[in-house]
Amino acid sequence: MDSDAAQKELVSDYLERLRAAGSSLPSTRREELVAEVREHIEDATRAEREAGNTGAAGVRNVLERLGPPEDIAREALEQEPAANVHQPPPPQNTNLRDISTVLLLMFGGLLLGIGWVVGVALLWSSPRWQTRDKWLATLVWPFGYAGVFILGGAMAFVSTSASVCSSSPAVRAGAPVHETCTESGFSLPGWFGFLIFLVIVIAPVLVAVRLLRTPTTPAGN
Amino acid sequence: MEPGDARNVLTQLRRGTIEYCVLAVLAEGEEYAFELVRRLSAVDGLVTSEGTIYPLLSRLRRDDMVTTTWQESDAGPPRKYYRLTPTGRRALSGFTEEWTRFRDAVDELLVGGREPSKGAQGGDRGQ
């Protein structure tokens, strides 16, 4: 029947609008609401028919009394506890904890090393980052910039102990000082040291940027 | 004051009181949703969009004001019946008391206040 199909379409359009307007409700709650409204429409249409309003006109009366589906969905969202309502997270929702984590990882090593340990603990207990990023941040930052100092100090120590300097006896005579240093072991070209320095200094910054740009909701969700 | 303000006040009043009206209907006995909505709609000016009762019923159930049971019906599929809980009954009687006091106070000012305003314009009421 043509009229029957028209009625069905009116109802299914209405329920579809309700479903769309309630898209941020938890899915079980939304489907429950849709089922309740559908049941109401069936009961009310039957009552309309008994009152003589047959066909699409009866259905239209019923839908009009129900009100716009958007109103029903809005009411449902207002009645739902805020925790259950799915809200798209703001793109940059970095909180104090995340910033502390990154700062501790970078500079916490300077606080007797303890700060870095706290930073690692915060990093691994955070739901925000994936395991891959956690490993990256831990390994790129062994003790953060304190690690750079330790490494730099160790290198300076190695190069000092490795070089033997001898002053010429001419010093006593007031002649210009000739100091001869012979370096034993290996020595790295200057540009290479500079490259290492850049990597060590810049890599933590890059990882910091990566961590803080990670969306707050885990990507796997 | 614009007429819109009074309408807004009524909207707020309706929103605030409708859940107690639901509880009041259920205080007379359990009811299934459609019948409940029909009875509330029959009260002039109380319900503007019948559909908004459903989210309210869901919240009342979550707040343990009402419970639901599925019951067989003679016509069609089983129906969900709503029933008042002791918590709901307490909330209803608390509100009824408050509402009565509030309504009487407002009535006294609105209706009672109209009397002296008749002579207030002249300001020479000799009593």
Side-chain angles (χ1 to χ4, degrees):
Chain A
M1 279 256 253
D2 201 40
S3 165
D4 206 38
Q7 285 179 51
K8 282 206 172 96
E9 198 178 329
L10 277 175
V11 173
S12 68
D13 282 356
Y14 186 90
L15 294 177
E16 212 38 64
R17 272 170 67 195
L18 177 61
R19 205 173 263 126
S23 63
S24 36
L25 286 169
S27 59
T28 49
R29 178 69 202 100
R30 182 175 59 240
E31 290 313 311
E32 185 188 41
L33 179 64
V34 170
E36 284 169 345
V37 171
R38 176 187 288 124
E39 200 178 307
H40 177 101
I41 294 172
E42 283 163 11
D43 283 338
T45 310
R46 196 177 305 125
E48 284 283 326
R49 215 169 21 237
E50 281 160 15
N53 293 324
T54 50
V59 176
R60 274 201 198 89
N61 278 348
V62 168
L63 298 184
E64 194 164 314
R65 276 208 309 273
L66 269 174
E70 291 77 17
D71 284 5
I72 303 175
R74 192 184 318 121
E75 184 72 18
L77 282 166
E78 279 171 20
Q79 302 281 8
E80 196 67 16
N84 293 353
V85 176
H86 169 74
Q87 288 161 333
Q92 293 288 325
N93 191 12
T94 291
N95 59 32
L96 195 60
R97 186 201 145 110
D98 296 339
I99 292 172
S100 310
T101 306
V102 170
L103 287 179
L104 282 171
L105 283 170
M106 288 174 89
F107 304 109
L110 302 174
L111 309 169
L112 300 172
I114 298 292
W116 182 76
V117 176
V118 175
V120 171
L122 283 174
L123 173 76
W124 283 86
S125 62
S126 166
R128 177 168 174 184
W129 297 297
Q130 294 186 325
T131 313
R132 198 181 47 194
D133 288 332
K134 288 176 178 171
W135 277 114
L136 182 71
T138 310
L139 295 178
V140 168
W141 277 317
F143 291 102
Y145 279 117
V148 177
F149 285 126
I150 294 167
L151 192 69
M155 275 166 75
F157 177 75
V158 167
S159 63
T160 319
S161 61
S163 61
V164 181
C165 300
S166 56
S167 305
S168 74
V171 173
R172 223 175 275 149
V177 178
H178 291 285
E179 199 170 85
T180 338
C181 293
T182 38
E183 289 192 19
S184 62
F186 63 95
S187 85
L188 298 168
W191 63 266
F192 191 77
F194 185 66
L195 192 71
I196 297 227
F197 173 78
L198 271 188
V199 167
I200 285 172
V201 171
I202 289 174
V205 176
L206 291 179
V207 177
V209 170
R210 181 187 163 92
L211 287 186
L212 291 178
R213 290 180 78 178
T214 307
T216 13
T217 40
N221 242 354
Chain B
M1 201 192 275
E2 291 181 26
D5 287 347
R7 211 165 34 232
N8 192 32
V9 167
L10 281 177
T11 306
Q12 298 300 328
L13 270 175
R14 204 181 282 129
R15 282 185 65 87
T17 50
I18 183 77
E19 68 175 274
Y20 296 101
C21 297
V22 169
L23 298 181
V25 170
L26 293 177
E28 293 166 24
E30 60 178 1
E31 200 61 90
Y32 69 97
F34 173 67
E35 193 56 34
L36 180 62
V37 173
R38 221 179 52 101
R39 288 190 53 187
L40 290 168
S41 307
V43 182
D44 183 39
L46 183 62
V47 182
T48 45
S49 298
E50 290 180 347
T52 56
I53 304 276
Y54 287 92
L56 174 65
L57 284 172
S58 163
R59 207 253 298 156
L60 287 175
R61 191 177 48 186
R62 201 170 47 237
D63 289 351
D64 193 36
M65 300 280 190
V66 302
T67 51
T68 54
T69 46
W70 287 96
Q71 289 178 26
E72 295 296 327
S73 69
D74 345 323
R79 283 176 167 150
K80 202 196 276 179
Y81 274 76
Y82 290 80
R83 181 186 302 175
L84 210 56
T85 65
T87 313
R89 202 170 289 278
R90 267 198 304 278
L92 176 63
S93 69
F95 178 79
T96 308
E97 212 173 281
E98 293 289 330
W99 172 259
T100 309
R101 195 179 307 151
F102 173 74
R103 181 201 59 197
D104 288 350
V106 174
D107 276 358
E108 202 175 304
L109 286 170
L110 291 183
V111 182
R114 206 175 286 154
E115 297 293 319
S117 75
K118 271 191 284 185
Q121 260 181 339
D124 54 3
R125 235 165 90 122
Q127 267 180 311

